[in-house]
Amino acid sequence: MGRVQGKVVIVTGGASGIGKQDALLLAAEGARVVVTDLNEDGGRSVAKEIGDTAIFIRHDISSEDNWKAVMAATHERFGRLDGLVNNAGVLVMGSIEDATLEQWQKIHRVNADGYFLGCKYGVAALKSSGGGSIVNMSSVAAEGLPFAVSYSGSKGSVAALTHSVAVHCKSCGYRIRCNSIHPDGVLTPMTLPLLGNPDPAAVSYDADPTSRFCDPKDVANLVLFLISDESRFISGAQLRITNAH
Ligand SMILES: NC(=O)c1ccc[n+]([C@@H]2O[C@H](COP(=O)([O-])OP(=O)(O)OC[C@H]3O[C@@H](n4cnc5c(N)ncnc54)[C@H](O)[C@@H]3O)[C@@H](O)[C@H]2O)c1
């Protein structure tokens, strides 16, 4: 028996980086996985690697209609939902002096609105399955990084959203948990270009015990725990993944 045997879990942004590792690890531990992403080639390839227990759905998390379609397709294929990993996201650099309102709104459309919609439709679907777990990907940026003001604002929104959803679901007795994960640096296609595209093995924790960068697998391990029933009494938590930063 796997640690999430038989659970049906949606992973947004499952084509790449952290979401890809989440999907592969959840599947390896027995979950049936709905991989969603804007990146169709990458998402299809992850679903294919998993096999018959996964499907891919093209999904823009900022579209309410797309969320309705994802929930309908998940129900049609698997008949229930047990977990949702709101992971898809975009990063834009820029301080308060450099950022524009357009940039702020564009990043919030995905990282804030997309997670609001995910929680809204996720809670409805999990309620009808009798409960479940939502994992929201925030960041240490929720504390406010000076060089990424719009990204920081959007990840702060994810943290507050998570707590609000967790307390609401608890007070309603839904058995729906909601937690946020706050990584520092993770070596993925989002961050490697910012580092000048080094060999990940040369800059990761394996090579350098003082590194700020972990592997996507280090985040996926926490996602797996939060989706599994091993974390059944953990809700409303903000869990940092950092090297003592
Ligand atoms: N890499 C890091 O250091 C780091 C640190 C903290 C938090 N995070 C967060 O982790 C999450 C995953 O990031 P990653 O590093 O794996 O990045 P990534 O770029 O490798 O993956 C992000 C995925 O999200 C998808 N995506 C982007 N916009 C989308 C949209 N509107 N709808 C659906 N899919 C969309 C992309 O196509 C991509 O496949 C993000 O929310 C990111 O902000 C990353």
Side-chain angles (χ1 to χ4, degrees):
M1 286 287 281
R3 290 168 64 190
V4 286
Q5 194 67 41
K7 289 188 187 293
V8 177
V9 185
I10 296 170
V11 180
T12 73
S16 171
I18 297 168
K20 177 178 176 178
Q21 284 307 311
D22 294 346
L24 294 174
L25 185 59
L26 287 162
E29 290 291 339
R32 294 170 283 170
V33 183
V34 179
V35 178
T36 84
D37 206 295
L38 278 176
N39 174 351
E40 295 186 44
D41 288 346
R44 279 214 180 84
S45 140
V46 171
K48 192 171 167 202
E49 188 175 336
I50 293 170
D52 286 347
T53 53
I55 55 170
F56 168 73
I57 304 171
R58 189 194 183 278
H59 180 200
D60 177 352
I61 63 164
S62 68
S63 159
E64 187 159 15
D65 284 346
N66 275 202
W67 272 107
K68 289 178 184 168
V70 166
M71 291 304 174
T74 301
H75 193 266
E76 188 181 318
R77 175 70 171 80
F78 296 118
R80 58 181 295 111
L81 185 69
D82 303 288
L84 167 63
V85 185
N86 281 313
N87 163 83
V90 285
L91 169 66
V92 182
M93 306 300 268
S95 74
I96 187 63
E97 295 194 77
D98 309 321
T100 61
L101 178 61
E102 189 190 7
Q103 181 205 83
W104 170 274
Q105 289 176 335
K106 200 171 161 190
I107 200 163
H108 278 73
R109 188 86 191 97
V110 178
N111 293 2
D113 297 5
Y115 281 53
F116 161 75
L117 290 169
C119 286
K120 185 166 184 60
Y121 287 93
V123 165
L126 292 171
K127 243 172 98 175
S128 47
S129 299
S133 172
I134 299 174
V135 179
N136 289 332
M137 201 56 63
S138 182
S139 165
V140 294
E143 296 155 36
L145 296 178
F147 51 83
V149 67
S150 300
Y151 182 74
S152 295
S154 70
K155 291 301 183 180
S157 164
V158 171
L161 167 78
T162 301
H163 198 258
S164 175
V165 171
V167 175
H168 171 75
C169 290
K170 179 235 175 185
S171 59
C172 294
Y174 290 159
R175 295 193 189 280
I176 297 173
R177 300 181 292 108
C178 188
N179 294 289
S180 56
I181 296 183
H182 299 239
D184 188 7
V186 190
L187 295 165
T188 70
M190 181 180 277
T191 50
L192 283 165
L194 301 173
L195 300 172
N197 286 315
D199 174 2
V203 286
S204 86
Y205 178 64
D206 289 329
D208 175 7
T210 70
S211 177
R212 281 183 69 159
F213 288 88
C214 68
D215 299 327
K217 183 86 189 289
D218 295 306
V219 182
N221 282 329
L222 182 52
V223 169
L224 171 66
F225 171 68
L226 290 173
I227 292 293
S228 81
D229 296 336
E230 295 159 21
S231 58
R232 65 178 215 151
F233 201 66
I234 300 175
S235 191
Q238 297 182 6
L239 297 149
R240 282 170 124 241
I241 298 190
T242 71
N243 192 4
H245 167 60

